[in-house]
Amino acid sequence: MKNFYFNIALPLPIRKTFQYSYSEKIKKGSRVFVPFGSRKLVGIVIEEVKEDKSIETKNIIALLDNLPSFSSKAFECIIWASKYYHHPIGEVFHSFLPNHLRKNNLHKDYAVSNNDYSIIGEKPKLTDEQNNALKIYKNSSDFKVNVINGVTGSGKTEIYLRIIEKNLEEDKSTLLLVPEINLIPQLIKVFSERFGGNIGVYHSKQTPIQKYKTWQASANGNIKIIIGTRSSVMLPFKKIGSIIVDEEHDESYKQNEGFRYSARDLAIKRAQVENVPIILGSATPSITTIDNIAKNKFIELVLKKRFDGSNPPKILLYDSNKTKINNGISEELLELIKETIAQGKQVLIFNNRRGYAPFYQCLECDWIASCNSCETNLVYHEDLKRLVCHRCESKYGIPDNCPSCSKSSLNISGVGTQRIEKYLQEEVKEAQIFRIDYDTTRKKDAIDDLITEINKDKAAILIGTQMLSKGHDFPNVALSIILNIDTLINNPDFNTAEKLSQLMVQVSGRVGRSRNIKDGKVIIQTRYPNDKNLLNLRDGNYMKVAKGIINDRKNLNQPPYTASAIILATSPKKESNIAYLNEARQYFDNLKLETIYGPMPSQVSKLKGRYKHLIYIQFSSRSQLHKEINKFLLISEKWSTLKKVKAMIDIDPNNFY
DNA sequence: AGCACGCCGACT
DNA sequence: GTCGGCGTGCTC
Ligand SMILES: [Zn+2]
Ligand SMILES: [Zn+2]
């Protein structure tokens, strides 16, 4: 009996494949069950090869797919991703399989859901801008990147609906990527008010069966509209029409652990390989995207006007050096809050820190409460009367005396949302107060219930974190106050100016759109009212700020004008990380590159008892990055310092995690 | 990654 | 003497 030989990718942090044999030919992209040492693993067939007699090849135990789990196009994208991100191929394949297919399960058929996608809702008349954008979109159905640069309320979603409609007419599927799970429910609502059929969902909080059902229904074309987070970018499709990436600027598209990929960038690759259009939507496009528009790689479709004709609110800078600050809010702004409430209107307070106070520290020595397993600062939570680690959610009691110098001079410092809530409850007694942060929205539907209550249009104060800037609109807010951004301006790290501008414009775009609020106001409380980027933000024109940031990046040789990478080392010992990274640093120093930082501890320097350190490198071009990282990986393979650490690469990093 | 193998310290 | 701790190296 003739045997066939295959290279198989296994879910291991190893940059190679393993050879196995089988009695039949197997298509690439198929799952197989194989023996590996003393265990058994599910792997992916990469290619048929001729027998390598120098290896004692084992037999494949079972072929698990009748049709390959990865179509030849998805396969091509994953091979590309593994090379682009310099990540072990088996782990890349593994990360795009739903749980059910990661184990040695055969496929099973589930009942077909409602797949009649006839239009049931009423279609609104399109504005000229919308018509124009759609015309450009429709003029070809080959690969192209269309960027919908549309302010909040300009009708981006209606364009998505028309694109889906066009795809359905051609019996094609649409994939809509979103940065966060909690943006999915409202999109499902809008989509199912327009189309009759089932809307597929794919994200990490689903049960394995739910996830597999969507995977299968997408593969056989029963579900033609799919909304999903990152990992849905490699779903199988019977016939895909286009991909939409909503809020493309959102950094949540980048995975920050394991296989560190950008779902937005991978979506662009997928669209290119499938030869279909991709739409990137945002009111605040990323600097990279704006740069690609300037280079004519992407096509910009602008939606400037809000369809209800309302104007975006003005952004004012409030110099907080002027008055006394209590619990994070200046006295003058507190008066303004009181006035607004007295007029029966709503106030929104944005403070990007949850809990009561972000630090608990000693005034005598430099002791500061931190988590034993993460080494991050513990945050005081008033409701729990405990210190909480925001990374691992561990809770600690509150010591009365300093563990370091044993004096009783411990104190909280800094301002979290709970502290502002308590302060305003005392100061503005007549106002109803809603706090919207991770702690108040943990329960399912909690956030939707809160939003429904808030939008009933009564005088109220909303206090919240990032969450306020993503997806939800607050039309009755007449005054927004943005607090606590000075630490960001003071200690800029990755893309601070870009992130901050996007945040400010996103918050301001979501408020004050109801008819009875003519002059919504957004006030940024800052000690740096002369900061260049803040000044540029004042007329709410994001593109103007973006131009400034792009110029800075160009002058400072920062991405996208250079290509960046992080080499990460993880091990139980700090010294092992440092030894390896020092050797790596020396290696790269010899190459005379743009910039090298480190070795330094990662911002999450300790996780599950393992330390993490890194070096950050900027290359003058993408091709130089790939060439040098490949060479480095090959050479460093033999280093003895590597044996004591796990090393990983982060391409296009956007933090030091 | 996960597992076996082996070498060393400590405890019946 | 042997149990178990973890450091090392290998897995087609
Ligand atoms: Zn002390
Ligand atoms: Zn922790």
Side-chain angles (χ1 to χ4, degrees):
Chain A
M1 188 175 67
K2 186 178 170 358
N3 255 333
F4 298 87
Y5 295 85
F6 304 94
N7 283 341
I8 311 288
L10 297 172
L12 305 167
I14 302 174
R15 297 171 189 280
K16 59 184 260 191
T17 55
F18 293 85
Q19 193 170 110
Y20 290 88
S21 60
Y22 198 60
S23 56
E24 295 163 40
K25 248 187 191 305
I26 308 176
K27 289 202 182 89
K28 69 176 186 181
S30 302
R31 293 178 311 130
V32 289
F33 197 45
V34 297
F36 187 72
S38 59
R39 13 180 211 159
K40 295 176 178 124
L41 297 172
V42 172
I44 303 294
V45 174
I46 300 298
E47 59 191 340
E48 196 191 327
V49 288
K50 58 178 197 296
E51 185 182 10
D52 182 344
K53 294 241 169 65
S54 67
I55 306 169
E56 265 189 64
T57 306
K58 288 182 182 172
N59 267 316
I60 289 170
I61 300 167
L63 169 61
L64 302 172
D65 287 345
N66 29 19
L67 282 170
S69 283
F70 294 96
S71 69
S72 67
K73 290 190 171 153
F75 185 92
E76 187 184 336
C77 290
I78 287 176
I79 300 286
W80 176 86
S82 162
K83 288 182 179 153
Y84 182 90
Y85 290 105
H86 299 273
H87 196 87
I89 183 137
E91 284 195 344
V92 179
F93 273 107
H94 192 73
S95 66
F96 290 118
L97 281 172
N99 217 287
H100 181 253
L101 299 181
R102 289 180 184 184
K103 305 197 199 96
N104 67 348
N105 292 320
L106 298 173
H107 289 267
K108 60 179 168 189
D109 288 325
Y110 286 95
V112 173
S113 59
N114 177 6
N115 59 1
D116 174 5
Y117 288 94
S118 332
I119 290 180
I120 52 174
E122 199 156 308
K123 292 197 272 179
K125 197 173 173 301
L126 297 176
T127 64
D128 289 348
E129 282 185 334
Q130 286 173 323
N131 269 320
N132 202 34
L134 273 168
K135 206 177 113 199
I136 295 170
Y137 168 79
K138 285 182 179 170
N139 75 18
S140 104
S141 53
D142 292 332
F143 170 67
K144 61 180 171 185
V145 185
N146 283 2
V147 179
I148 303 187
N149 181 356
V151 299
T152 337
S154 64
K156 257 189 305 156
T157 313
E158 184 58 35
I159 297 201
Y160 298 167
L161 287 163
R162 301 299 172 110
I163 289 170
I164 295 169
E165 182 184 339
K166 176 176 184 275
N167 286 335
L168 288 169
E169 281 164 9
E170 297 164 9
D171 207 31
K172 292 175 182 166
S173 309
T174 310
L175 170 65
L176 177 80
L177 285 173
V178 293
E180 272 175 26
I181 297 171
N182 58 13
L183 300 180
I184 296 176
Q186 46 178 339
L187 284 164
I188 294 183
K189 187 163 173 282
V190 176
F191 287 8
S192 46
E193 279 166 8
R194 179 69 56 90
F195 306 107
N198 225 27
I199 315 290
V201 175
Y202 196 80
H203 61 75
S204 59
K205 292 257 168 75
Q206 287 177 296
T207 65
I209 294 299
Q210 285 175 322
K211 248 182 134 163
Y212 176 65
K213 279 184 182 170
T214 303
W215 191 94
Q216 187 185 65
S218 177
N220 60 32
N222 275 316
I223 288 183
K224 294 204 175 61
I225 305 173
I226 289 153
I227 308 177
T229 49
R230 285 193 296 258
S231 63
S232 56
V233 69
M234 283 300 142
L235 277 172
F237 300 99
K238 190 176 179 200
K239 210 162 127 197
I240 185 158
S242 46
I243 302 174
I244 302 169
V245 182
D246 195 23
E247 308 295 356
E248 68 87 22
H249 65 279
D250 198 308
E251 288 199 339
S252 307
Y253 278 123
K254 181 80 193 282
Q255 178 135 62
N256 284 320
E257 54 183 36
F259 170 41
R260 297 174 173 234
Y261 67 102
S262 156
R264 183 246 277 143
D265 294 347
L266 209 39
I268 296 171
K269 183 66 190 178
R270 181 92 195 256
Q272 187 198 56
V273 170
E274 302 276 356
N275 193 28
V276 297
I278 178 164
I279 297 88
L280 307 181
S282 176
T284 54
S286 63
I287 296 298
T288 310
T289 293
I290 295 175
D291 181 56
N292 278 320
I293 294 169
K295 289 176 177 150
N296 289 321
K297 290 186 185 168
F298 296 178
I299 301 155
E300 185 183 21
L301 314 174
V302 184
L303 303 179
K304 274 198 188 116
K305 296 182 191 124
R306 288 179 167 196
F307 57 62
D308 58 6
S310 63
N311 290 316
K314 281 250 179 293
I315 299 179
L316 308 168
L317 303 181
Y318 178 80
D319 182 351
S320 62
N321 300 303
K322 286 199 303 197
T323 51
K324 216 181 139 207
I325 294 189
N326 295 318
N327 297 285
I329 303 175
S330 91
E331 283 178 345
E332 223 174 312
L333 291 183
L334 178 65
E335 287 312 309
L336 204 53
I337 294 171
K338 286 179 178 168
E339 269 172 43
T340 311
I341 293 298
Q343 291 165 11
K345 295 177 179 166
Q346 293 187 344
V347 176
L348 179 147
I349 296 176
F350 177 86
N351 181 76
N352 211 4
R353 267 184 168 156
R354 66 186 170 98
Y356 190 86
F359 305 105
Y360 188 63
Q361 59 196 109
C362 177
L363 303 174
E364 292 289 327
C365 66
D366 59 358
W367 183 84
I368 183 160
S370 64
C371 177
N372 292 336
S373 53
C374 308
E375 293 192 348
T376 49
N377 292 338
L378 294 178
V379 178
Y380 175 63
H381 279 238
E382 172 82 356
D383 49 345
L384 308 168
K385 297 266 187 283
R386 285 180 162 250
L387 298 168
V388 180
C389 170
H390 282 186
R391 181 140 301 275
C392 69
E393 293 294 313
S394 299
K395 296 174 181 61
Y396 296 79
I398 300 164
D400 293 326
N401 293 320
C402 174
S404 171
C405 70
S406 64
K407 296 198 181 101
S408 62
S409 47
L410 293 174
N411 230 317
I412 55 165
S413 78
V415 177
T417 46
Q418 289 182 5
R419 188 166 180 179
I420 296 170
E421 180 185 29
K422 194 178 169 212
Y423 177 55
L424 292 179
Q425 270 165 356
E426 288 160 10
E427 288 291 331
V428 198
K429 291 208 173 63
E430 63 276 27
Q432 193 174 359
I433 297 186
F434 298 95
R435 177 159 59 87
I436 302 149
D437 56 27
Y438 179 70
D439 299 304
T440 60
T441 56
R442 226 172 289 199
K443 281 194 217 108
K444 200 172 172 281
D445 299 332
I447 189 156
D448 292 321
D449 295 347
L450 268 170
I451 307 271
T452 312
E453 196 58 31
I454 289 164
N455 286 343
K456 281 181 181 163
D457 190 14
K458 52 193 167 190
I461 301 177
L462 337 177
I463 304 165
T465 57
Q466 298 250 351
M467 275 190 164
L468 289 177
S469 72
K470 295 193 182 179
H472 302 286
D473 290 350
F474 304 97
N476 303 312
V477 169
L479 170 67
S480 315
I481 295 178
I482 292 163
L483 302 175
N484 237 325
I485 56 159
D486 287 346
T487 33
L488 273 175
I489 297 171
N490 233 346
N491 320 299
D493 64 349
F494 260 95
N495 310 335
T496 300
E498 177 179 3
K499 275 185 269 192
L500 195 62
S501 320
Q502 287 165 348
L503 202 57
M504 299 299 98
V505 174
Q506 291 284 346
V507 171
S508 68
R510 297 184 186 284
V511 303
R513 284 168 50 200
S514 90
R515 266 145 222 69
N516 44 6
I517 293 168
K518 291 187 293 290
D519 49 351
K521 235 188 255 169
V522 177
I523 301 176
I524 301 176
Q525 176 184 296
T526 175
R527 282 185 285 122
Y528 307 100
N530 296 316
D531 180 84
K532 188 185 69 186
N533 288 315
L534 287 183
L535 287 173
N536 271 339
L537 268 172
R538 280 176 307 178
D539 46 12
N541 185 344
Y542 172 77
M543 293 309 273
K544 189 171 143 196
V545 198
K547 286 219 175 76
I549 297 172
I550 285 186
N551 268 328
D552 290 349
R553 299 263 185 100
K554 214 180 248 170
N555 295 334
L556 297 170
N557 269 329
Q558 285 173 355
Y561 300 96
T562 47
S564 61
I566 278 176
I567 318 258
L568 268 167
T570 327
S571 80
K573 281 194 177 147
K574 287 181 188 174
E575 300 74 36
S576 311
N577 289 347
I578 303 290
Y580 165 74
L581 291 172
N582 271 332
E583 197 168 359
R585 159 113 210 194
Q586 238 165 54
Y587 174 87
F588 285 110
D589 272 341
N590 289 332
L591 300 176
K592 307 260 180 290
L593 301 169
E594 293 285 336
T595 310
I596 310 179
Y597 300 135
M600 56 181 146
S602 135
Q603 274 174 23
V604 200
S605 62
K606 201 177 166 193
L607 193 68
K608 287 185 236 153
R610 295 171 70 82
Y611 288 92
K612 217 185 254 186
H613 291 76
L614 55 90
I615 54 176
Y616 172 83
I617 311 169
Q618 281 174 355
F619 298 87
S620 59
S621 68
R622 180 73 50 191
S623 59
Q624 188 196 30
L625 180 151
H626 287 308
K627 199 181 92 202
E628 295 303 345
I629 294 279
N630 278 328
K631 257 206 269 177
F632 165 77
L633 287 171
L634 209 69
I635 288 168
S636 62
E637 221 172 52
K638 295 171 196 92
W639 294 355
S640 64
T641 52
L642 176 62
K643 290 183 180 140
K644 295 196 171 149
V645 302
K646 186 186 166 188
M648 281 293 152
I649 311 287
D650 186 350
I651 299 293
D652 309 331
N654 49 27
N655 52 44
F656 288 126
Y657 291 161

